[in-house]
Amino acid sequence: LAEEVVMHISQMLLPLARISFIGHSLGGIITRAALAHPSLRQYADKFHTYMSLGSAHLGYQYSENTWVDGGMWFLKKLKNSTALHQFSLSDAKNPYQTFMYRLSEAPSLTTFKNILLVASPQDGYAPFYSARIEVHARSLKDAKAGSLHLQMVQNLLRPLQEAGTNIVRFEVHFHIQGRGLDGTIKRAAHIMLLESLPFIRQLLSTNRHYFE
């Protein structure tokens, strides 16, 4: 992704003024990883707004969706998926060496003027607290992994606060008709964050000043 962005910039006919990024779900995490790449640091002074929609910035430590938890466990056993191990912070024996923790230490967002975190409590795929980068209450009583969770939150938020970055959190509620499979496994809201055109239009039109 970092190389694609650099290539796109090199082919622009107009002078580069500002760069903003919007990522949905895993895309928000991939964007953060790309932003930490040395090839993009040359444009850091141009970074303006970063928006994520339903991106689990803190992984799935305290997911409350038993369907997703069960599915992740099964797929990790069946396919040994690297991404699933990374999101569940099980890709290294030392949790402080996992991909998600190391990414939380990367200064990839500190040069943005605005950080917009869009999340829905109806979304069972990206835990609400994780998509909003907030402390989960369970971590305060979790003697085993609570300190890891708290440190990740601190790693992400403290540099932004020190830099005076504008952090805005959006709580989105959808009217989901019927349940069906997507409703049962709480995937509907996760998909609608990207595919609901009325929502996307309203979100961008009412917040266009963050991208101007």
Side-chain angles (χ1 to χ4, degrees):
L1 177 59
E3 294 177 355
E4 289 182 7
V5 173
V6 172
M7 181 179 297
H8 177 74
I9 293 174
S10 68
Q11 295 173 348
M12 291 179 60
L13 299 178
L14 298 176
L16 180 65
R18 293 176 174 176
I19 306 176
S20 294
F21 293 87
I22 301 177
H24 172 259
S25 190
L26 181 59
I29 307 303
I30 293 174
T31 300
R32 281 176 51 206
L35 289 168
H37 195 277
S39 63
L40 281 183
R41 301 316 298 169
Q42 60 182 308
Y43 304 109
D45 62 325
K46 304 291 187 182
F47 292 169
H48 188 61
T49 294
Y50 168 90
M51 173 187 280
S52 66
L53 303 104
S55 298
H57 296 289
L58 302 173
Y60 290 93
Q61 268 187 288
Y62 300 107
S63 171
E64 297 178 357
N65 187 336
T66 55
W67 288 93
V68 171
D69 291 344
M72 287 183 65
W73 178 89
F74 178 76
L75 289 174
K76 283 191 294 184
K77 295 292 186 181
L78 180 65
K79 295 188 176 182
N80 196 30
S81 170
T82 299
L84 294 180
H85 280 289
Q86 290 173 339
F87 272 106
S88 59
L89 282 75
S90 60
D91 54 306
K93 291 183 178 180
N94 181 349
Y96 291 91
Q97 294 298 319
T98 58
F99 170 79
M100 291 300 293
Y101 184 84
R102 288 186 287 109
L103 184 59
S104 76
E105 294 181 304
S108 55
L109 299 178
T110 53
T111 54
F112 283 90
K113 303 296 186 296
N114 308 294
I115 302 296
L116 313 182
L117 305 172
V118 183
S120 172
Q122 298 166 289
D123 183 354
Y125 273 54
F128 192 56
Y129 75 92
S130 189
R132 289 166 59 91
I133 314 181
E134 293 180 322
V135 172
H136 195 290
R138 283 168 54 187
S139 68
L140 303 177
K141 299 179 181 180
D142 184 356
K144 183 178 180 181
S147 59
L148 176 73
H149 170 76
L150 294 172
Q151 188 61 54
M152 287 180 66
V153 174
Q154 189 176 72
N155 289 347
L156 286 164
L157 295 184
R158 177 180 286 179
L160 300 178
Q161 294 165 346
E162 292 177 347
T165 305
N166 181 36
I167 304 173
V168 184
R169 295 178 173 89
F170 297 86
E171 180 174 338
V172 182
H173 294 261
F174 293 104
H175 176 62
I176 301 175
Q177 297 181 341
R179 292 190 63 84
L181 177 60
D182 285 340
T184 300
I185 64 178
K186 298 183 179 180
R187 186 176 63 179
H190 189 70
I191 296 173
M192 292 177 74
L193 284 171
L194 177 66
E195 296 187 356
S196 173
L197 293 182
F199 162 69
I200 293 296
R201 291 194 187 100
Q202 182 179 10
L203 177 68
L204 295 181
S205 64
T206 56
N207 296 283
R208 60 187 304 171
H209 55 284
Y210 291 120
F211 298 93
E212 294 177 341

